[in-house]
Amino acid sequence: MNVGYREEGGNGGEHMRGYQNDTSAQLALNQAITKCASCFDVLHLLDEARQADVRPSTANMATAMHRIASTGASQPDMVMKDQRFRQLVLNVEDRLEKTPRDFGEQHLANVVWGAAKLRLQRKPLFTLVQKEVLSERRRLSEFSPQQLAAIAWSYAMMGFEAPMLFEAVQEEAVRQPVLARMLEQAGLLRRTDPH
């Protein structure tokens, strides 16, 4: 799955959803995270940022979760034993609980995809993301097909019960043929019998 952020139009200008409040230091941190060669490089980079009084943004944490999973999936036990990673997960959960609106669609997808890729059994994390994806302030049509497919795959991979989420994604797949194809390829599309 691609880590790219979907550009969205603003008031006369373009911005990337979820980055609008980030400082230049946080934007630079995000770029550096995407270039890290290992999961432990990401964790070290986050430590350095904190020591330099750069508070990781929501985008930084979501990108870190994705990058850690992308580079550390072959050694999930080592990643999950790392105190820095455990703290990152707690920070993501805390931010999801206190300021869920800070999470753009891509952030939500990156967080659960990263957790699922590492096989991280964190019910609070998955519950908070599901709650935000289904919140009244969100519209599934604002998620790209790739984001919704990543979210659905993550819940299925982890075996988390999320019937309302799966139902909503299935309904959105009726309106988005690309999403339907992605879900079908992942074995997640439920076909209804027309009879």
Side-chain angles (χ1 to χ4, degrees), residues 21-112:
N21 297 321
D22 285 6
T23 66
S24 60
Q26 290 167 326
L27 292 170
L29 176 59
N30 220 61
Q31 290 175 346
I33 290 169
T34 64
K35 294 176 183 167
C36 286
S38 80
C39 55
F40 301 107
D41 290 344
V42 174
L43 294 168
H44 180 73
L45 187 62
L46 290 174
D47 275 347
E48 286 181 343
R50 282 187 197 96
Q51 290 170 6
D53 289 329
V54 175
R55 180 178 178 250
S57 69
T58 299
N60 296 153
M61 291 190 294
T63 302
M65 288 285 293
H66 188 283
R67 189 68 184 159
I68 289 167
S70 296
T71 59
S74 64
Q75 48 192 346
D77 292 335
M78 287 181 64
V79 172
M80 286 189 268
K81 287 179 185 175
D82 192 302
Q83 180 58 37
R84 299 169 300 177
F85 177 72
R86 291 197 305 263
Q87 187 60 54
L88 172 63
V89 173
L90 291 173
N91 291 344
V92 169
E93 289 174 356
D94 183 62
R95 189 84 50 95
L96 274 164
E97 196 162 31
K98 291 179 180 170
T99 57
R101 290 177 185 196
D102 288 354
F103 285 79
E105 291 80 11
Q106 187 68 47
H107 302 141
L108 295 166
N110 281 357
V111 165
V112 291

